[in-house]
Amino acid sequence: MKKHWWHKATIYQIYPKSFMDSNGDGVGDLKGIISELDYLKKLGITAIWLSPVYQSPMDDNGYDISDYEAIADIFGDMADMEELLAEANKRHIRIIMDLVVNHTSDEHAWFVEARENPSSPERDFYIWRDQPNGLKSTFSGSAWQYDEASNQYYLHLFSKKQPDLNWENADLRQKIYDMMNRWIDKGVAGFRMDVIDLIGKIPDQEITGNGPKLHDYLKEMHQASLLNKDLLTVGETWGATPEIAKQYSNPDNHELSMVFQFEHIGLQHKPNAPKWDYETELNVPALKEIFTKWQTKLELGQGWNSLFWNNHDLPRVLSIWGNDGEYREKSGKAFAVLLHLMRGTPYIYQGEEIGMTNYPFADLTEIEDIESVNYAKEALEEGQDLESIMDSIRAIGRDNARTPMQWTAGQQAGFSRADKTWLPVHPNHEAINVEAALADSESLFYTYQKLVALRKTQDWLIDADFELLNTANKVFAYKRRTADESYLIVVNLSDQVQPFELAVEGEVIIGNTCVETVSKTKQLQAWDAFCLKI
Ligand code: NOJ
C-alpha cells in the first residue's frame, strides 16, 4: 500500500468563532489562530481542519457560505488567511479547509440571481419544484421553502438560508472544481467535505444520502481538482458502512482519502430515535462491536477511516460518556488511548486535549445553535415542557462544543478581552485551561502530545491488524499485531473496578495507571488504560 502523509497524521479541528479572539469583539478570528500556532506545534499535530471562515451571514456559523473566495469580516480578510497558511507552513502544520458544497447561503450571488431571475443559468444551480414533497430539514420542518416571486419551492436540507445546490448541473460542478483549484493554489493541504454524501440526492424520490450519482461526481471532482496532488480529503459521511467507505476511500477508486463516519456516535441517542432522545449510559459492548467492525472490515489498502470522539456538532465526550467530575482527566486519557491506537487518522477537537466539558446552559436565551433553537421551537409547539427540552440541549446540543476555548484561569478564560463573548465562557475555566494543563506534566494534554508523537513514528499503528479480546463488559481490550510486533491495549470504560487478567508482561508504551498493580490484583480501577508492547 502506498503510504501518504495523512496516514501518520493527527488532525486538530478549529472552530474559528471559539478558538481565539485577537480584536476583542468576543468572536474568535484568524489572527487569533495565528497567535496560537506555537501551542498547536507543541501538541505536535500535523494539520488543522479549519471549520468555515468564508464570507457568510452566519445563519449556521459559516456552514452557509455567501462567497467561497472571501473571508468573513468577523474572522479577518484574505491577507490574514494567507498569513495563516504561511505561518502554519513555517511550523510544518498543514491547513485543511472545510468545503461546504452541498448548499450555499441564500445570500450567495448564485442564489440571489437564481431567485431574482428565474430564466438565468443560476436558477438551475439550485433545486426548484412546483410542489413540496415529504422531505424534512435536519434543522426541523419541511425541507422546501416557498418563493413567492416565482411561485416555486426550493430545497434546503438544512436551514432555509442554506439552499441545496443542484449537482446535476455540469456548469455548477465545474465552478466548484475551479474554486477548489484556486484554494489548492493558495497552498491548502486538503478539504473536509461537509455532508458530501448528500450531493447525489434525488429529491423527487426522497433519496438524500448515498444517491446513485454520488460516486461519479466524486470521481469527476478527483480528476478535476485532486489528481496527483497528495491532498487529504475527508468526507463527512453519516450513513457509511464499511462497504460504502471502501467506495469512497479505496485508493483505486480515486475519490477521497478517508471517510468520517458516525456509527459509534449513534450510541449517544436511543436506537432509531432523534438525537434529542439522548443516552448517557455508554453501551460498551455495542461500542466494541462497532469499532471492531470498522477496524476489521475496512481492510488495509482497501480504504481509510477517521478516528474521533468530538467535533463541533457533538457534545463533549467526557460529559456524555466519560466522567467529567472526579475522573475527568483520567477518563479523558482512557478515551484518548483507546481511540488513538487504532487504525485510521485521529482527530482532536479544540479543547478535547485539556478535557473541556459540556456547558450548563441555563435557558434558551443562552443558546445560539440553529439546530437547537429550531428543535426547541418545534418541541414547544408540540407541547413538550421547556425543562425537558433544555435537558436535551444541555446533554447533546451542539453549543456544548462551541463555547470559547479555555486558555487561562483569567477573565474570559484568556479567549477574549470583550465583556461579552458570543457564547459564554465555561465557569470551570478557572480549573480547566491550557495554562494549567501545560504546567502539569501529568495532564491530559501530555497524553495527547505523546499519542500524536507515536502516530508519526510507529508504523504498526497503520499496518497492524486488530483483534478484540474477550473481557468483562465494560472493559475494551484489543491486540494489534504485525509479522514481528504485538501490542495490547486495555481500557476500563467505567467508574467501577473491573476484573481483568493480565497474562502477559511487556513494555508500557502509554497509560494512566500502574500495570504491575493491575497484574497483581487482577483488577482494573476506574478508567484505567494502558498499552503494552508484548
Ligand atoms: C455538517 C456540519 O458539520 C454542521 O455543522 C452543519 O450545520 C451542517 N453540515 C450543514 O452544513
Side-chain angles (χ1 to χ4, degrees), residues 15 49 60 63-64 98 100 103 139 158 162 192 194-195 236 238 311-313 369-370 398 402:
Y15 198 66
W49 152 18
D60 186 18
Y63 284 90
D64 49 318
D98 215 312
V100 189
H103 45 266
F139 296 158
F158 295 90
Q162 292 166 300
R192 174 267 182 182
D194 189 69
V195 289
E236 188 197 19
W238 277 84
N311 79 8
H312 65 292
D313 294 328
D369 166 31
I370 183 165
R398 304 196 297 179
R402 301 176 179 184

Side-chain angles (χ1 to χ4, degrees), residues 166-296:
N166 174 23
W167 274 72
E168 301 256 347
N169 185 302
D171 293 338
L172 165 75
R173 298 203 302 275
Q174 191 58 49
K175 281 186 192 295
I176 292 172
Y177 308 149
D178 291 346
M179 172 272 288
M180 290 170 68
N181 286 336
R182 287 189 286 272
W183 277 106
I184 294 166
D185 291 344
K186 276 194 188 295
V188 306
F191 300 99
R192 174 267 182 182
M193 300 187 186
D194 189 69
V195 289
I196 202 68
D197 54 348
L198 299 180
I199 63 171
K201 66 182 77 71
I202 311 186
D204 298 325
Q205 294 173 28
E206 300 195 13
I207 296 175
T208 52
N210 297 312
K213 290 213 189 132
L214 167 63
H215 295 282
D216 292 343
Y217 295 150
L218 289 176
K219 287 190 172 70
E220 183 185 77
M221 176 194 280
H222 192 102
Q223 292 299 317
S225 300
L226 307 172
L227 197 66
N228 299 327
K229 290 182 187 153
D230 205 16
L231 301 174
L232 183 163
T233 49
V234 49
E236 188 197 19
T237 56
W238 277 84
T241 59
E243 281 313 308
I244 295 175
K246 284 182 215 176
Q247 279 182 275
Y248 285 112
S249 63
N250 187 319
D252 295 337
N253 280 358
H254 301 288
E255 294 188 15
L256 304 178
S257 319
M258 67 186 87
V259 295
F260 197 95
Q261 57 74 31
F262 293 78
E263 192 172 351
H264 59 303
I265 297 297
L267 300 175
Q268 293 184 349
H269 56 77
K270 304 265 169 5
N272 307 315
K275 75 180 233 179
W276 305 109
D277 209 349
Y278 66 89
E279 178 61 82
T280 53
E281 171 82 32
L282 173 56
N283 182 341
V284 182
L287 188 79
K288 290 194 247 186
E289 198 183 308
I290 292 169
F291 272 114
T292 303
K293 176 168 92 184
W294 281 93
Q295 290 292 305
T296 56

Side-chain angles (χ1 to χ4, degrees), residues 277-448:
D277 209 349
Y278 66 89
E279 178 61 82
T280 53
E281 171 82 32
L282 173 56
N283 182 341
V284 182
L287 188 79
K288 290 194 247 186
E289 198 183 308
I290 292 169
F291 272 114
T292 303
K293 176 168 92 184
W294 281 93
Q295 290 292 305
T296 56
K297 296 250 153 68
L298 196 59
E299 299 93 341
L300 188 60
Q302 307 280 300
W304 195 255
N305 198 3
S306 304
L307 303 168
F308 66 95
W309 296 119
N310 294 286
N311 79 8
H312 65 292
D313 294 328
L314 304 175
R316 294 283 180 179
V317 74
L318 294 190
S319 296
I320 190 153
W321 281 344
N323 180 320
D324 64 6
E326 188 186 354
Y327 296 113
R328 187 182 61 83
E329 290 250 337
K330 196 171 178 193
S331 65
K333 291 175 186 172
F335 279 108
V337 167
L338 178 65
L339 191 76
H340 282 241
L341 300 179
M342 292 189 192
R343 181 189 293 149
T345 296
Y347 287 69
I348 302 171
Y349 178 70
Q350 64 183 42
E352 175 180 340
E353 76 281 14
I354 56 165
M356 280 178 61
T357 64
N358 277 3
Y359 186 90
F361 294 104
D363 55 43
L364 285 176
T365 62
E366 284 186 330
I367 302 299
E368 287 282 338
D369 166 31
I370 183 165
E371 183 187 46
S372 301
V373 168
N374 288 1
Y375 153 69
K377 204 165 145 239
E378 196 174 76
L380 282 171
E381 277 163 16
E382 285 166 4
Q384 252 196 65
D385 71 289
L386 183 61
E387 217 11 71
S388 83
I389 295 169
M390 278 313 298
D391 186 59
S392 288
I393 292 177
R394 272 191 292 266
I396 206 162
R398 304 196 297 179
D399 280 341
N400 284 301
R402 301 176 179 184
T403 61
M405 179 75 180
Q406 295 164 204
W407 295 99
T408 69
Q411 202 150 15
Q412 305 293 26
F415 161 72
S416 171
R417 53 180 192 273
D419 293 334
K420 193 172 182 323
T421 53
W422 80 280
L423 273 182
V425 168
H426 202 302
N428 69 14
H429 74 273
E430 288 180 10
I432 304 171
N433 61 69
V434 168
E435 203 172 60
L438 293 179
D440 172 6
S441 63
E442 297 292 310
S443 75
L444 179 58
F445 175 90
Y446 292 106
T447 297
Y448 273 98

